[in-house]
Amino acid sequence: MKKLDSNKLTKEQIEFFDNPDHLAYMATVDENGVPAVGPKASMKVLNDGQLQYLEKTKSHAYENLKNGSKAAIVVADIPSHKAMKIIATPEIHENDDYAKSVVEGTDTPNAYVVVLNIDEIQE
C-alpha cells in the first residue's frame, strides 16, 4: 500500500468504505505492543476527515484506544484485491451529549461512540 498525500477521503474512497459488502477491521496495540484486531460492523464515514463507530463490547481494542493507541482501519474488496488502510487518532465519547445523540433510538443505547480523526490514508 502507498501512503497518499492527503488525509481527506475522496468521494470514491467514501463510496468504497461505505459499501455494505465491505467490512471494516480495526487494529490497536496495548502498552506492550500486543495487537488487538477485530471487525467493526458499525464503522462508517462521518465526513471526509473522520470515521465513527459504536463501541458495544468495550473490548481490548477499546481499552487500547482509551490508553492512547492509534487505530488502523482496513477495508478490502476481496474479488478485486482493492483495499484501503486508514491510520487515525481516536476521540472517545462515553455518555456525553454527543454519544447520547448518536445512540438515541438505536438498538445499542449503552454503546460508546468513537470518532476517528484521519491522520493517514493508504491505498
Side-chain angles (χ1 to χ4, degrees):
M1 291 188 147
K2 178 183 175 195
K3 180 182 175 190
L4 304 181
D5 293 331
S6 175
N7 66 340
K8 301 293 183 197
L9 295 167
T10 65
K11 180 182 175 194
E12 293 79 19
Q13 290 168 327
I14 291 170
E15 289 172 359
F16 180 81
F17 197 97
D18 283 344
N19 182 321
D21 292 332
H22 301 160
L23 178 60
Y25 281 80
M26 183 177 76
T28 63
V29 294
D30 69 14
E31 64 276 356
N32 297 313
V34 177
V37 180
K40 295 295 177 193
S42 66
M43 185 78 68
K44 68 176 189 174
V45 175
L46 191 58
N47 57 55
D48 67 355
Q50 295 177 310
L51 307 176
Q52 177 179 284
Y53 79 95
L54 300 180
E55 180 55 59
K56 302 170 189 176
T57 63
K58 290 117 179 156
S59 64
H60 295 298
Y62 182 67
E63 288 302 316
N64 293 343
L65 292 176
K66 285 180 63 175
N67 291 324
S69 175
K70 287 197 179 248
I73 301 94
V74 173
V75 177
D77 179 68
I78 295 186
S80 70
H81 299 280
K82 184 177 179 184
M84 177 174 34
K85 179 168 82 173
I86 294 173
I87 308 296
T89 302
E91 185 180 307
I92 309 286
H93 294 276
E94 292 182 1
N95 302 316
D96 62 11
D97 288 342
Y98 181 73
K100 289 174 185 172
S101 72
V102 171
V103 299
E104 183 179 349
T106 69
D107 62 347
T108 53
N110 297 319
Y112 298 149
V113 178
V114 179
V115 175
L116 297 163
N117 298 300
I118 298 171
D119 299 320
E120 181 180 311
I121 302 169
Q122 298 178 17
E123 285 187 334

